[in-house]
Amino acid sequence: MRPLAVAALSLAIAACAAPPLRGTGDLGLVVERASGRVMLIETSGRSSLGRIEGLGDLSHASAVFSRDGRYAYVFGRDGGLTKVDLLRARIEHRVIQAGNSIGGAISQDGRVVAVANYTPGGVRLFDARTLEPLSEVPTGSKVVGIADAPGNRFVFSLFEAGEIWIVDASDPRQPQVRKITGVGKQPYDGFVTPNGRHYIAGLFGEDGLALVDLWAPEAGARRILGGYGRGEEPLPVYKMPHLRGWAVAGRYIFLPAIGRHEVLVLDSVNWTEAGRIAVHGQPVFAVAQPGARRVWVNFAFPNNGVVQVIDVPALKVVHELRPGRAVLHMEFTPRGEQAWVSSRDDGAVVVYDGASFAELARLAAESPSGIFLTSRAAMTGF
């Protein structure tokens, strides 16, 4: 065989062996919490592309994405930080950086990954390309509600200390810290609004929330929705609600009330209560559908087999879905035409049509929890 023919044949064989070219815009991960693995999904065909093993304890796992959407950074409860290559469906790097971590964030420029820790507390910064450790911000307290903010900053709350810290990671080897004290008792989670301007922390130890204007952090924290449960007998809390910028729909922010069968509606123009919506149980997530017309809500045990849909203009529940037992998470595709819902106890991820609520697909998964799509790579606070 002639040399040119051999070369052509070699190229053809190599092309057949290589994975097909594709983008990452419709990819995502589903956490299979009991198995230490993630399921790689694609939303165009609503299918599973495979699984990636060896991610450790994923009992409370979350993920963020690189700017190009190729890599996911998965934060495990065992202190593991794992960089996953979505196109090759494999682990790129993995480090155990603490004893117990609760989440993380990626900087505005995509260069730095921050990990929030329960044990020993504090935040650690890593190079997003290599996972080389860059620096540590000790806090002496459990860190919760970490989110990225403009200016390569990270914002988070300290559960025991009742503080909100802002870390400027422009120089990640020498981060600059601003501490806001006296924000309230036991901030349990927090989020940055999609425009990047405000950080809101929920308070477990008292009724109300703490608001920080990131354009003027020197002004400290402002109390909002103070006393929303005043005069009523507190209910036992079966699961701590979660807060994120996905609860923002137009001028309104929809917030799960702690231990109550209500969703609180906050007006983000004047920061006052705009209403309350009675719901099926204790809400965990309130997720605004892209387009801001509807908000989907799931619930804590024992009422956790239901998802209710709130109409934003009417501020009332207009539809109810029953995806399966123990609904843990919901995620919308970027334009809102699909809603992906995990049902842990039925071992399924259910895909719904965002307009008609029709079930489009049901994927088998082992104890699925968090669903994370690469569209988060382009969103502030995710």
PDB file of all heavy atoms in Angstrom, residues 174-211:
ATOM      1  N   GLN A 174      -3.974  36.442  47.264  1.00  0.00           N
ATOM      2  CA  GLN A 174      -4.082  37.394  48.367  1.00  0.00           C
ATOM      3  C   GLN A 174      -5.477  38.029  48.365  1.00  0.00           C
ATOM      4  O   GLN A 174      -5.633  39.222  48.100  1.00  0.00           O
ATOM      5  CB  GLN A 174      -2.999  38.469  48.261  1.00  0.00           C
ATOM      6  CG  GLN A 174      -1.582  37.930  48.435  1.00  0.00           C
ATOM      7  CD  GLN A 174      -0.543  39.035  48.388  1.00  0.00           C
ATOM      8  OE1 GLN A 174      -0.511  39.852  47.457  1.00  0.00           O
ATOM      9  NE2 GLN A 174       0.309  39.092  49.402  1.00  0.00           N
ATOM     10  N   PRO A 175      -6.499  37.251  48.652  1.00  0.00           N
ATOM     11  CA  PRO A 175      -7.870  37.775  48.601  1.00  0.00           C
ATOM     12  C   PRO A 175      -8.114  38.840  49.667  1.00  0.00           C
ATOM     13  O   PRO A 175      -7.551  38.778  50.761  1.00  0.00           O
ATOM     14  CB  PRO A 175      -8.728  36.533  48.845  1.00  0.00           C
ATOM     15  CG  PRO A 175      -7.831  35.593  49.597  1.00  0.00           C
ATOM     16  CD  PRO A 175      -6.455  35.840  49.073  1.00  0.00           C
ATOM     17  N   GLN A 176      -8.953  39.799  49.331  1.00  0.00           N
ATOM     18  CA  GLN A 176      -9.316  40.871  50.250  1.00  0.00           C
ATOM     19  C   GLN A 176     -10.709  40.609  50.804  1.00  0.00           C
ATOM     20  O   GLN A 176     -11.630  40.281  50.054  1.00  0.00           O
ATOM     21  CB  GLN A 176      -9.278  42.225  49.534  1.00  0.00           C
ATOM     22  CG  GLN A 176      -7.933  42.536  48.884  1.00  0.00           C
ATOM     23  CD  GLN A 176      -6.805  42.575  49.900  1.00  0.00           C
ATOM     24  OE1 GLN A 176      -6.882  43.294  50.904  1.00  0.00           O
ATOM     25  NE2 GLN A 176      -5.757  41.793  49.656  1.00  0.00           N
ATOM     26  N   VAL A 177     -10.878  40.780  52.115  1.00  0.00           N
ATOM     27  CA  VAL A 177     -12.115  40.391  52.790  1.00  0.00           C
ATOM     28  C   VAL A 177     -12.788  41.606  53.411  1.00  0.00           C
ATOM     29  O   VAL A 177     -12.151  42.407  54.092  1.00  0.00           O
ATOM     30  CB  VAL A 177     -11.837  39.328  53.883  1.00  0.00           C
ATOM     31  CG1 VAL A 177     -13.137  38.923  54.573  1.00  0.00           C
ATOM     32  CG2 VAL A 177     -11.134  38.108  53.298  1.00  0.00           C
ATOM     33  N   ARG A 178     -14.094  41.741  53.155  1.00  0.00           N
ATOM     34  CA  ARG A 178     -14.918  42.724  53.854  1.00  0.00           C
ATOM     35  C   ARG A 178     -15.933  41.954  54.705  1.00  0.00           C
ATOM     36  O   ARG A 178     -16.652  41.088  54.198  1.00  0.00           O
ATOM     37  CB  ARG A 178     -15.663  43.631  52.877  1.00  0.00           C
ATOM     38  CG  ARG A 178     -16.579  44.648  53.579  1.00  0.00           C
ATOM     39  CD  ARG A 178     -17.434  45.396  52.577  1.00  0.00           C
ATOM     40  NE  ARG A 178     -16.633  46.303  51.782  1.00  0.00           N
ATOM     41  CZ  ARG A 178     -16.348  47.552  52.103  1.00  0.00           C
ATOM     42  NH1 ARG A 178     -16.804  48.060  53.240  1.00  0.00           N
ATOM     43  NH2 ARG A 178     -15.635  48.313  51.297  1.00  0.00           N
ATOM     44  N   LYS A 179     -16.017  42.287  56.003  1.00  0.00           N
ATOM     45  CA  LYS A 179     -16.902  41.583  56.917  1.00  0.00           C
ATOM     46  C   LYS A 179     -18.068  42.481  57.313  1.00  0.00           C
ATOM     47  O   LYS A 179     -17.864  43.602  57.767  1.00  0.00           O
ATOM     48  CB  LYS A 179     -16.133  41.152  58.168  1.00  0.00           C
ATOM     49  CG  LYS A 179     -14.927  40.272  57.871  1.00  0.00           C
ATOM     50  CD  LYS A 179     -14.148  39.941  59.148  1.00  0.00           C
ATOM     51  CE  LYS A 179     -12.901  39.122  58.829  1.00  0.00           C
ATOM     52  NZ  LYS A 179     -12.124  38.807  60.064  1.00  0.00           N
ATOM     53  N   ILE A 180     -19.263  41.956  57.160  1.00  0.00           N
ATOM     54  CA  ILE A 180     -20.471  42.667  57.578  1.00  0.00           C
ATOM     55  C   ILE A 180     -21.046  41.913  58.772  1.00  0.00           C
ATOM     56  O   ILE A 180     -21.427  40.745  58.659  1.00  0.00           O
ATOM     57  CB  ILE A 180     -21.495  42.745  56.435  1.00  0.00           C
ATOM     58  CG1 ILE A 180     -20.883  43.493  55.239  1.00  0.00           C
ATOM     59  CG2 ILE A 180     -22.780  43.433  56.901  1.00  0.00           C
ATOM     60  CD1 ILE A 180     -21.749  43.487  54.008  1.00  0.00           C
ATOM     61  N   THR A 181     -21.083  42.552  59.911  1.00  0.00           N
ATOM     62  CA  THR A 181     -21.465  41.882  61.153  1.00  0.00           C
ATOM     63  C   THR A 181     -22.904  42.229  61.539  1.00  0.00           C
ATOM     64  O   THR A 181     -23.509  43.151  60.983  1.00  0.00           O
ATOM     65  CB  THR A 181     -20.516  42.278  62.290  1.00  0.00           C
ATOM     66  OG1 THR A 181     -20.601  43.698  62.503  1.00  0.00           O
ATOM     67  CG2 THR A 181     -19.074  41.914  61.946  1.00  0.00           C
ATOM     68  N   GLY A 182     -23.426  41.459  62.495  1.00  0.00           N
ATOM     69  CA  GLY A 182     -24.745  41.750  63.041  1.00  0.00           C
ATOM     70  C   GLY A 182     -25.867  41.645  62.042  1.00  0.00           C
ATOM     71  O   GLY A 182     -26.831  42.428  62.104  1.00  0.00           O
ATOM     72  N   VAL A 183     -25.801  40.659  61.142  1.00  0.00           N
ATOM     73  CA  VAL A 183     -26.826  40.574  60.098  1.00  0.00           C
ATOM     74  C   VAL A 183     -28.084  39.859  60.594  1.00  0.00           C
ATOM     75  O   VAL A 183     -29.148  39.951  59.969  1.00  0.00           O
ATOM     76  CB  VAL A 183     -26.283  39.868  58.844  1.00  0.00           C
ATOM     77  CG1 VAL A 183     -25.026  40.557  58.355  1.00  0.00           C
ATOM     78  CG2 VAL A 183     -26.019  38.388  59.082  1.00  0.00           C
ATOM     79  N   GLY A 184     -28.001  39.118  61.699  1.00  0.00           N
ATOM     80  CA  GLY A 184     -29.133  38.369  62.210  1.00  0.00           C
ATOM     81  C   GLY A 184     -28.689  36.991  62.673  1.00  0.00           C
ATOM     82  O   GLY A 184     -27.539  36.588  62.476  1.00  0.00           O
ATOM     83  N   LYS A 185     -29.606  36.250  63.279  1.00  0.00           N
ATOM     84  CA  LYS A 185     -29.276  34.955  63.856  1.00  0.00           C
ATOM     85  C   LYS A 185     -29.320  33.839  62.819  1.00  0.00           C
ATOM     86  O   LYS A 185     -30.307  33.673  62.123  1.00  0.00           O
ATOM     87  CB  LYS A 185     -30.244  34.624  65.002  1.00  0.00           C
ATOM     88  CG  LYS A 185     -30.153  35.560  66.196  1.00  0.00           C
ATOM     89  CD  LYS A 185     -31.166  35.150  67.267  1.00  0.00           C
ATOM     90  CE  LYS A 185     -31.108  36.102  68.460  1.00  0.00           C
ATOM     91  NZ  LYS A 185     -32.132  35.743  69.477  1.00  0.00           N
ATOM     92  N   GLN A 186     -28.238  33.118  62.747  1.00  0.00           N
ATOM     93  CA  GLN A 186     -28.125  31.881  61.969  1.00  0.00           C
ATOM     94  C   GLN A 186     -28.550  32.026  60.503  1.00  0.00           C
ATOM     95  O   GLN A 186     -29.525  31.433  60.063  1.00  0.00           O
ATOM     96  CB  GLN A 186     -28.937  30.769  62.636  1.00  0.00           C
ATOM     97  CG  GLN A 186     -28.433  30.417  64.028  1.00  0.00           C
ATOM     98  CD  GLN A 186     -29.296  29.380  64.723  1.00  0.00           C
ATOM     99  OE1 GLN A 186     -30.511  29.355  64.558  1.00  0.00           O
ATOM    100  NE2 GLN A 186     -28.664  28.511  65.493  1.00  0.00           N
ATOM    101  N   PRO A 187     -27.833  32.819  59.730  1.00  0.00           N
ATOM    102  CA  PRO A 187     -28.102  32.810  58.289  1.00  0.00           C
ATOM    103  C   PRO A 187     -27.831  31.415  57.733  1.00  0.00           C
ATOM    104  O   PRO A 187     -26.768  30.856  57.958  1.00  0.00           O
ATOM    105  CB  PRO A 187     -27.124  33.852  57.741  1.00  0.00           C
ATOM    106  CG  PRO A 187     -26.054  33.965  58.778  1.00  0.00           C
ATOM    107  CD  PRO A 187     -26.703  33.685  60.094  1.00  0.00           C
ATOM    108  N   TYR A 188     -28.807  30.831  57.041  1.00  0.00           N
ATOM    109  CA  TYR A 188     -28.711  29.427  56.639  1.00  0.00           C
ATOM    110  C   TYR A 188     -28.453  29.242  55.150  1.00  0.00           C
ATOM    111  O   TYR A 188     -28.043  28.172  54.709  1.00  0.00           O
ATOM    112  CB  TYR A 188     -29.982  28.678  57.039  1.00  0.00           C
ATOM    113  CG  TYR A 188     -31.219  29.139  56.286  1.00  0.00           C
ATOM    114  CD1 TYR A 188     -31.579  28.543  55.078  1.00  0.00           C
ATOM    115  CD2 TYR A 188     -32.022  30.159  56.779  1.00  0.00           C
ATOM    116  CE1 TYR A 188     -32.699  28.969  54.375  1.00  0.00           C
ATOM    117  CE2 TYR A 188     -33.137  30.581  56.094  1.00  0.00           C
ATOM    118  CZ  TYR A 188     -33.480  29.984  54.887  1.00  0.00           C
ATOM    119  OH  TYR A 188     -34.585  30.413  54.202  1.00  0.00           O
ATOM    120  N   ASP A 189     -28.724  30.237  54.346  1.00  0.00           N
ATOM    121  CA  ASP A 189     -28.466  30.166  52.910  1.00  0.00           C
ATOM    122  C   ASP A 189     -28.564  31.582  52.368  1.00  0.00           C
ATOM    123  O   ASP A 189     -29.059  32.492  53.054  1.00  0.00           O
ATOM    124  CB  ASP A 189     -29.478  29.244  52.217  1.00  0.00           C
ATOM    125  CG  ASP A 189     -29.007  28.765  50.846  1.00  0.00           C
ATOM    126  OD1 ASP A 189     -27.854  29.096  50.466  1.00  0.00           O
ATOM    127  OD2 ASP A 189     -29.755  28.059  50.161  1.00  0.00           O
ATOM    128  N   GLY A 190     -28.100  31.773  51.148  1.00  0.00           N
ATOM    129  CA  GLY A 190     -28.146  33.101  50.564  1.00  0.00           C
ATOM    130  C   GLY A 190     -28.012  33.036  49.063  1.00  0.00           C
ATOM    131  O   GLY A 190     -27.685  31.994  48.496  1.00  0.00           O
ATOM    132  N   PHE A 191     -28.279  34.167  48.421  1.00  0.00           N
ATOM    133  CA  PHE A 191     -28.142  34.209  46.959  1.00  0.00           C
ATOM    134  C   PHE A 191     -27.868  35.626  46.492  1.00  0.00           C
ATOM    135  O   PHE A 191     -28.186  36.609  47.180  1.00  0.00           O
ATOM    136  CB  PHE A 191     -29.393  33.655  46.272  1.00  0.00           C
ATOM    137  CG  PHE A 191     -30.633  34.510  46.412  1.00  0.00           C
ATOM    138  CD1 PHE A 191     -30.992  35.408  45.419  1.00  0.00           C
ATOM    139  CD2 PHE A 191     -31.453  34.388  47.522  1.00  0.00           C
ATOM    140  CE1 PHE A 191     -32.140  36.172  45.534  1.00  0.00           C
ATOM    141  CE2 PHE A 191     -32.602  35.148  47.654  1.00  0.00           C
ATOM    142  CZ  PHE A 191     -32.951  36.052  46.657  1.00  0.00           C
ATOM    143  N   VAL A 192     -27.268  35.708  45.318  1.00  0.00           N
ATOM    144  CA  VAL A 192     -27.061  36.978  44.628  1.00  0.00           C
ATOM    145  C   VAL A 192     -28.141  37.109  43.564  1.00  0.00           C
ATOM    146  O   VAL A 192     -28.415  36.147  42.819  1.00  0.00           O
ATOM    147  CB  VAL A 192     -25.660  37.038  43.992  1.00  0.00           C
ATOM    148  CG1 VAL A 192     -25.535  38.225  43.048  1.00  0.00           C
ATOM    149  CG2 VAL A 192     -24.595  37.133  45.076  1.00  0.00           C
ATOM    150  N   THR A 193     -28.777  38.265  43.484  1.00  0.00           N
ATOM    151  CA  THR A 193     -29.800  38.470  42.461  1.00  0.00           C
ATOM    152  C   THR A 193     -29.171  38.385  41.069  1.00  0.00           C
ATOM    153  O   THR A 193     -27.975  38.637  40.903  1.00  0.00           O
ATOM    154  CB  THR A 193     -30.483  39.837  42.649  1.00  0.00           C
ATOM    155  OG1 THR A 193     -29.478  40.863  42.724  1.00  0.00           O
ATOM    156  CG2 THR A 193     -31.315  39.860  43.921  1.00  0.00           C
ATOM    157  N   PRO A 194     -29.955  37.987  40.055  1.00  0.00           N
ATOM    158  CA  PRO A 194     -29.381  37.770  38.718  1.00  0.00           C
ATOM    159  C   PRO A 194     -28.643  38.962  38.133  1.00  0.00           C
ATOM    160  O   PRO A 194     -27.742  38.795  37.308  1.00  0.00           O
ATOM    161  CB  PRO A 194     -30.615  37.410  37.876  1.00  0.00           C
ATOM    162  CG  PRO A 194     -31.557  36.790  38.852  1.00  0.00           C
ATOM    163  CD  PRO A 194     -31.360  37.565  40.126  1.00  0.00           C
ATOM    164  N   ASN A 195     -28.987  40.184  38.554  1.00  0.00           N
ATOM    165  CA  ASN A 195     -28.268  41.353  38.057  1.00  0.00           C
ATOM    166  C   ASN A 195     -26.955  41.592  38.794  1.00  0.00           C
ATOM    167  O   ASN A 195     -26.217  42.525  38.486  1.00  0.00           O
ATOM    168  CB  ASN A 195     -29.147  42.605  38.118  1.00  0.00           C
ATOM    169  CG  ASN A 195     -29.554  42.976  39.547  1.00  0.00           C
ATOM    170  OD1 ASN A 195     -29.077  42.394  40.520  1.00  0.00           O
ATOM    171  ND2 ASN A 195     -30.455  43.953  39.663  1.00  0.00           N
ATOM    172  N   GLY A 196     -26.676  40.756  39.809  1.00  0.00           N
ATOM    173  CA  GLY A 196     -25.410  40.839  40.519  1.00  0.00           C
ATOM    174  C   GLY A 196     -25.325  41.915  41.570  1.00  0.00           C
ATOM    175  O   GLY A 196     -24.279  42.087  42.195  1.00  0.00           O
ATOM    176  N   ARG A 197     -26.424  42.606  41.839  1.00  0.00           N
ATOM    177  CA  ARG A 197     -26.317  43.773  42.730  1.00  0.00           C
ATOM    178  C   ARG A 197     -26.557  43.446  44.200  1.00  0.00           C
ATOM    179  O   ARG A 197     -25.901  44.016  45.069  1.00  0.00           O
ATOM    180  CB  ARG A 197     -27.294  44.865  42.297  1.00  0.00           C
ATOM    181  CG  ARG A 197     -27.252  46.052  43.251  1.00  0.00           C
ATOM    182  CD  ARG A 197     -27.978  47.254  42.742  1.00  0.00           C
ATOM    183  NE  ARG A 197     -27.912  48.340  43.735  1.00  0.00           N
ATOM    184  CZ  ARG A 197     -28.436  49.541  43.573  1.00  0.00           C
ATOM    185  NH1 ARG A 197     -29.090  49.821  42.460  1.00  0.00           N
ATOM    186  NH2 ARG A 197     -28.316  50.454  44.515  1.00  0.00           N
ATOM    187  N   HIS A 198     -27.494  42.565  44.506  1.00  0.00           N
ATOM    188  CA  HIS A 198     -27.886  42.341  45.897  1.00  0.00           C
ATOM    189  C   HIS A 198     -27.621  40.912  46.342  1.00  0.00           C
ATOM    190  O   HIS A 198     -27.777  39.968  45.567  1.00  0.00           O
ATOM    191  CB  HIS A 198     -29.375  42.665  46.098  1.00  0.00           C
ATOM    192  CG  HIS A 198     -29.706  44.105  45.907  1.00  0.00           C
ATOM    193  ND1 HIS A 198     -30.191  44.606  44.710  1.00  0.00           N
ATOM    194  CD2 HIS A 198     -29.612  45.176  46.752  1.00  0.00           C
ATOM    195  CE1 HIS A 198     -30.391  45.911  44.832  1.00  0.00           C
ATOM    196  NE2 HIS A 198     -30.049  46.277  46.065  1.00  0.00           N
ATOM    197  N   TYR A 199     -27.247  40.779  47.601  1.00  0.00           N
ATOM    198  CA  TYR A 199     -27.112  39.471  48.250  1.00  0.00           C
ATOM    199  C   TYR A 199     -28.144  39.410  49.359  1.00  0.00           C
ATOM    200  O   TYR A 199     -28.256  40.333  50.177  1.00  0.00           O
ATOM    201  CB  TYR A 199     -25.709  39.304  48.834  1.00  0.00           C
ATOM    202  CG  TYR A 199     -25.486  37.977  49.558  1.00  0.00           C
ATOM    203  CD1 TYR A 199     -25.180  36.824  48.845  1.00  0.00           C
ATOM    204  CD2 TYR A 199     -25.561  37.894  50.946  1.00  0.00           C
ATOM    205  CE1 TYR A 199     -24.967  35.615  49.503  1.00  0.00           C
ATOM    206  CE2 TYR A 199     -25.343  36.691  51.611  1.00  0.00           C
ATOM    207  CZ  TYR A 199     -25.041  35.559  50.882  1.00  0.00           C
ATOM    208  OH  TYR A 199     -24.824  34.370  51.528  1.00  0.00           O
ATOM    209  N   ILE A 200     -28.929  38.326  49.374  1.00  0.00           N
ATOM    210  CA  ILE A 200     -29.968  38.144  50.374  1.00  0.00           C
ATOM    211  C   ILE A 200     -29.706  36.846  51.111  1.00  0.00           C
ATOM    212  O   ILE A 200     -29.527  35.791  50.499  1.00  0.00           O
ATOM    213  CB  ILE A 200     -31.368  38.117  49.729  1.00  0.00           C
ATOM    214  CG1 ILE A 200     -31.648  39.435  49.006  1.00  0.00           C
ATOM    215  CG2 ILE A 200     -32.449  37.853  50.781  1.00  0.00           C
ATOM    216  CD1 ILE A 200     -32.946  39.453  48.230  1.00  0.00           C
ATOM    217  N   ALA A 201     -29.690  36.903  52.434  1.00  0.00           N
ATOM    218  CA  ALA A 201     -29.488  35.724  53.269  1.00  0.00           C
ATOM    219  C   ALA A 201     -30.740  35.471  54.085  1.00  0.00           C
ATOM    220  O   ALA A 201     -31.292  36.394  54.705  1.00  0.00           O
ATOM    221  CB  ALA A 201     -28.295  35.921  54.204  1.00  0.00           C
ATOM    222  N   GLY A 202     -31.195  34.202  54.082  1.00  0.00           N
ATOM    223  CA  GLY A 202     -32.289  33.819  54.952  1.00  0.00           C
ATOM    224  C   GLY A 202     -31.787  33.604  56.366  1.00  0.00           C
ATOM    225  O   GLY A 202     -30.639  33.213  56.579  1.00  0.00           O
ATOM    226  N   LEU A 203     -32.633  33.857  57.348  1.00  0.00           N
ATOM    227  CA  LEU A 203     -32.253  33.725  58.755  1.00  0.00           C
ATOM    228  C   LEU A 203     -33.075  32.610  59.396  1.00  0.00           C
ATOM    229  O   LEU A 203     -34.314  32.664  59.391  1.00  0.00           O
ATOM    230  CB  LEU A 203     -32.486  35.037  59.501  1.00  0.00           C
ATOM    231  CG  LEU A 203     -31.726  36.255  58.944  1.00  0.00           C
ATOM    232  CD1 LEU A 203     -32.137  37.515  59.687  1.00  0.00           C
ATOM    233  CD2 LEU A 203     -30.221  36.039  59.027  1.00  0.00           C
ATOM    234  N   PHE A 204     -32.389  31.617  59.938  1.00  0.00           N
ATOM    235  CA  PHE A 204     -33.075  30.510  60.594  1.00  0.00           C
ATOM    236  C   PHE A 204     -33.436  30.846  62.029  1.00  0.00           C
ATOM    237  O   PHE A 204     -34.451  30.391  62.556  1.00  0.00           O
ATOM    238  CB  PHE A 204     -32.199  29.249  60.560  1.00  0.00           C
ATOM    239  CG  PHE A 204     -32.856  28.037  61.140  1.00  0.00           C
ATOM    240  CD1 PHE A 204     -33.920  27.437  60.481  1.00  0.00           C
ATOM    241  CD2 PHE A 204     -32.434  27.499  62.341  1.00  0.00           C
ATOM    242  CE1 PHE A 204     -34.549  26.325  61.012  1.00  0.00           C
ATOM    243  CE2 PHE A 204     -33.045  26.385  62.886  1.00  0.00           C
ATOM    244  CZ  PHE A 204     -34.110  25.791  62.214  1.00  0.00           C
ATOM    245  N   GLY A 205     -32.631  31.658  62.675  1.00  0.00           N
ATOM    246  CA  GLY A 205     -32.820  31.944  64.090  1.00  0.00           C
ATOM    247  C   GLY A 205     -33.853  33.013  64.382  1.00  0.00           C
ATOM    248  O   GLY A 205     -34.150  33.278  65.545  1.00  0.00           O
ATOM    249  N   GLU A 206     -34.405  33.647  63.362  1.00  0.00           N
ATOM    250  CA  GLU A 206     -35.412  34.688  63.571  1.00  0.00           C
ATOM    251  C   GLU A 206     -36.165  34.913  62.272  1.00  0.00           C
ATOM    252  O   GLU A 206     -35.711  34.536  61.196  1.00  0.00           O
ATOM    253  CB  GLU A 206     -34.746  35.987  64.030  1.00  0.00           C
ATOM    254  CG  GLU A 206     -33.666  36.493  63.095  1.00  0.00           C
ATOM    255  CD  GLU A 206     -32.919  37.684  63.676  1.00  0.00           C
ATOM    256  OE1 GLU A 206     -33.483  38.793  63.633  1.00  0.00           O
ATOM    257  OE2 GLU A 206     -31.810  37.497  64.201  1.00  0.00           O
ATOM    258  N   ASP A 207     -37.356  35.504  62.395  1.00  0.00           N
ATOM    259  CA  ASP A 207     -38.131  35.842  61.204  1.00  0.00           C
ATOM    260  C   ASP A 207     -37.445  36.981  60.456  1.00  0.00           C
ATOM    261  O   ASP A 207     -37.083  37.994  61.056  1.00  0.00           O
ATOM    262  CB  ASP A 207     -39.547  36.293  61.594  1.00  0.00           C
ATOM    263  CG  ASP A 207     -40.404  35.130  62.049  1.00  0.00           C
ATOM    264  OD1 ASP A 207     -40.007  33.981  61.812  1.00  0.00           O
ATOM    265  OD2 ASP A 207     -41.461  35.379  62.645  1.00  0.00           O
ATOM    266  N   GLY A 208     -37.309  36.830  59.157  1.00  0.00           N
ATOM    267  CA  GLY A 208     -36.742  37.900  58.361  1.00  0.00           C
ATOM    268  C   GLY A 208     -35.563  37.444  57.532  1.00  0.00           C
ATOM    269  O   GLY A 208     -35.126  36.282  57.611  1.00  0.00           O
ATOM    270  N   LEU A 209     -35.037  38.363  56.740  1.00  0.00           N
ATOM    271  CA  LEU A 209     -33.885  38.120  55.893  1.00  0.00           C
ATOM    272  C   LEU A 209     -32.958  39.320  55.969  1.00  0.00           C
ATOM    273  O   LEU A 209     -33.361  40.418  56.389  1.00  0.00           O
ATOM    274  CB  LEU A 209     -34.307  37.882  54.434  1.00  0.00           C
ATOM    275  CG  LEU A 209     -35.242  36.695  54.169  1.00  0.00           C
ATOM    276  CD1 LEU A 209     -36.688  37.169  54.107  1.00  0.00           C
ATOM    277  CD2 LEU A 209     -34.876  35.999  52.862  1.00  0.00           C
ATOM    278  N   ALA A 210     -31.714  39.109  55.564  1.00  0.00           N
ATOM    279  CA  ALA A 210     -30.722  40.180  55.538  1.00  0.00           C
ATOM    280  C   ALA A 210     -30.375  40.512  54.096  1.00  0.00           C
ATOM    281  O   ALA A 210     -30.153  39.615  53.280  1.00  0.00           O
ATOM    282  CB  ALA A 210     -29.468  39.764  56.297  1.00  0.00           C
ATOM    283  N   LEU A 211     -30.337  41.793  53.787  1.00  0.00           N
ATOM    284  CA  LEU A 211     -30.090  42.275  52.432  1.00  0.00           C
ATOM    285  C   LEU A 211     -28.828  43.134  52.417  1.00  0.00           C
ATOM    286  O   LEU A 211     -28.685  44.051  53.226  1.00  0.00           O
ATOM    287  CB  LEU A 211     -31.284  43.105  51.956  1.00  0.00           C
ATOM    288  CG  LEU A 211     -31.116  43.892  50.651  1.00  0.00           C
ATOM    289  CD1 LEU A 211     -31.083  42.952  49.454  1.00  0.00           C
ATOM    290  CD2 LEU A 211     -32.246  44.914  50.496  1.00  0.00           C
TER     291      LEU A 211
END
